[in-house]
């Protein structure tokens, strides 16, 4: 039973991270390359304070890590597999979105 609880917790943390568009953008940016907060804030067009709050959430979720580099801190994905997971999840969602095999989709408002 412990495994199921752990699996659910891991998925819930991932879902919490993806629940905000800015956190999604941060994860996608870090998928491409590690970055310093100032560079991330500029690239995303948000304030450093706002970015800091999102980075804290992503750290708490265990998805990103802060790596000291001299007097600065660089952020990166906690595991390279997270980048692959983001790609796979995005591809799966887009594939399902494009699938129109459900005959009742328009009537039921699903699919």
């Amino acid at each position: 039973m412990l495994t199921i609880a752990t699996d659910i917790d891991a998925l819930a943390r991932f879902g919490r991270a993806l629940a905000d568009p800015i956190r999604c953008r941060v994860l996608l940016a870090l998928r491409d390359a590690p970055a310093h907060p100032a560079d991330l804030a500029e690239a995303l067009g948000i304030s450093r304070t706002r970015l800091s709050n999102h980075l804290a959430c992503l750290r708490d979720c265990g998805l990103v890590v802060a790596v000291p580099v001299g007097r600065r801190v660089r952020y990166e994905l906690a595991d390279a597999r997270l980048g692959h997971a983001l790609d796979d999840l995005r591809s799966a969602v887009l594939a399902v979105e494009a699938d129109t095999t459900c005959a009742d989709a328009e009537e039921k408002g699903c699919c």
Side-chain angles (χ1 to χ4, degrees):
M1 199 67 148
L2 181 61
T3 302
I4 292 173
T6 304
D7 290 347
I8 291 170
D9 179 59
L11 290 173
R13 285 185 288 127
F14 196 61
R16 181 174 145 214
L18 295 177
D20 185 278
I22 291 175
R23 287 194 294 270
C24 290
R25 292 173 59 204
V26 170
L27 289 170
L28 291 172
L30 294 177
R31 175 201 61 188
D32 294 336
H36 295 281
D39 299 331
L40 271 174
E42 184 178 332
L44 299 176
I46 61 173
S47 71
R48 290 184 191 183
T49 302
R50 193 167 181 198
L51 176 67
S52 178
N53 291 332
H54 288 290
L55 287 171
C57 177
L58 293 171
R59 277 193 321 269
D60 290 345
C61 290
L63 301 178
V64 302
V65 293
V67 178
V69 179
R71 296 177 63 195
R72 297 178 71 192
V73 174
R74 180 186 73 221
Y75 281 85
E76 59 189 48
L77 295 179
D79 189 302
R81 291 176 291 185
L82 291 169
H84 299 292
L86 289 167
D87 289 338
D88 290 345
L89 183 59
R90 186 186 65 225
S91 295
V93 169
L94 292 175
V96 169
E97 186 177 278
D99 183 8
T100 57
T101 58
C102 179
D104 299 326
E106 287 187 37
E107 181 181 316
K108 293 182 178 179
C110 63
C111 310

